[in-house]
Amino acid sequence: MEKDNFVIRAMHKSEVDIAINWAAQEGWNPGDCDALSYYCADPHGFLIGLLNNQPIAVISAIKYDTAFGFIGFYIVKPEFRGQGYGYQIWQAAMAYLSGCNVGLDGVVTQQDNYRKSGFELAYRNIRYEGVLETAHFKNQSQPDGATICEVDEDLIEGYETQFFPAQRARFNLQWRAQSNACALNLKKSGKICGYGVIRACQTGYKIGPLYADCAQNAKALALALISEVEKNVAGPVTVFIDTPEQNSAAVAVAESLGMSIAFETARMYTGKFPDLPIGQTFGVASFEIG
């Protein structure tokens, strides 16, 4: 796509870091090693807009399958905003996802603009932030009838499938294999009943996803993940969790850890809201990829 020396094309693998770095500059606090995981989700889904061969706009349009996609990393360099370049790359992304039910986590104030493209609000996601030391929660860190252990790779794919509208096994595998990440699951009677990943970000550490069958187990799993970080970090750990607001138990867990609201997003879809176990979703993997 080309107009007035503005070209939109798919990013090369090495260019995904441009979107990551711009997201960091916007204060979105991406993970240090997120780029490869995002690329694994859809190698064709990152678009870049070049003006006179210089990058000025990015967006991700991850097509998980022919039925579901997710928009993220919608950023135009500040000096080029309001000139139509963002709208052009937005249109290119939506064209790539044509025929899909498309989801996004957008800035709440932009909901009206997203509605013009057919998106409707499903619920809010809230980012909680806290500076934590697990020693303060010793009496609250025991799971209810479950065991916290390393991820069971034979069972985890089947467990994760229920939490997302499309199959994304390749992304999930790379997500927990990041060099700066730790993944744990909860098992009860030989079955997985909880799963979480913590990874280093530009600032602090982010837990996501965080799934569990109950609030007590979600909290125990979160504290176990933070404890793994504490083995290599001196002092308290700055932690973020992105929680679906409509899961009141998840909100209660974050608040019981002394975390406070950092900001929020609007989870929106162009089609029917996916039937997902929100009551067991205590933290989403990423605002940028769903």
Side-chain angles (χ1 to χ4, degrees), residues 143-267:
D144 180 18
T147 301
I148 298 174
C149 52
E150 293 183 2
V151 172
D152 187 326
E153 293 293 345
D154 293 330
L155 299 177
I156 192 63
E157 183 176 342
Y159 176 78
E160 280 195 284
T161 298
Q162 64 184 310
F163 291 95
F164 200 73
Q167 197 274 356
R168 58 173 184 177
R170 188 180 180 200
F171 164 79
N172 291 333
L173 179 62
Q174 175 58 39
W175 190 251
R176 60 179 169 269
Q178 295 181 68
S179 60
N180 65 334
C182 173
L184 296 171
N185 63 214
L186 282 159
K187 292 184 76 175
K188 184 188 298 183
S189 301
K191 297 181 179 179
I192 294 178
C193 60
Y195 167 69
V197 179
I198 191 168
R199 72 195 196 281
C201 295
Q202 299 276 330
T203 299
Y205 292 78
K206 197 176 296 181
I207 296 176
L210 180 64
Y211 307 135
D213 60 340
C214 67
Q216 181 176 337
N217 284 345
K219 187 172 183 177
L221 186 53
L223 289 169
L225 289 165
I226 297 167
S227 180
E228 290 297 315
V229 172
E230 288 176 328
K231 293 177 181 179
N232 300 305
V233 175
V237 180
T238 300
V239 179
F240 302 87
I241 303 177
D242 298 333
T243 296
E245 184 192 36
Q246 71 178 53
N247 183 354
S248 58
V251 170
V253 167
E255 292 178 348
S256 74
L257 291 170
M259 306 179 82
S260 56
I261 295 174
F263 70 91
E264 62 185 74
T265 66
R267 171 61 64 90

Side-chain angles (χ1 to χ4, degrees), residues 116-137:
K116 294 175 183 177
S117 294
F119 288 84
E120 291 296 334
L121 177 68
Y123 52 85
R124 294 192 307 164
N125 280 317
I126 301 174
R127 174 162 294 172
Y128 280 91
E129 175 183 358
V131 180
L132 307 180
E133 288 185 278
T134 57
H136 295 160
F137 302 94

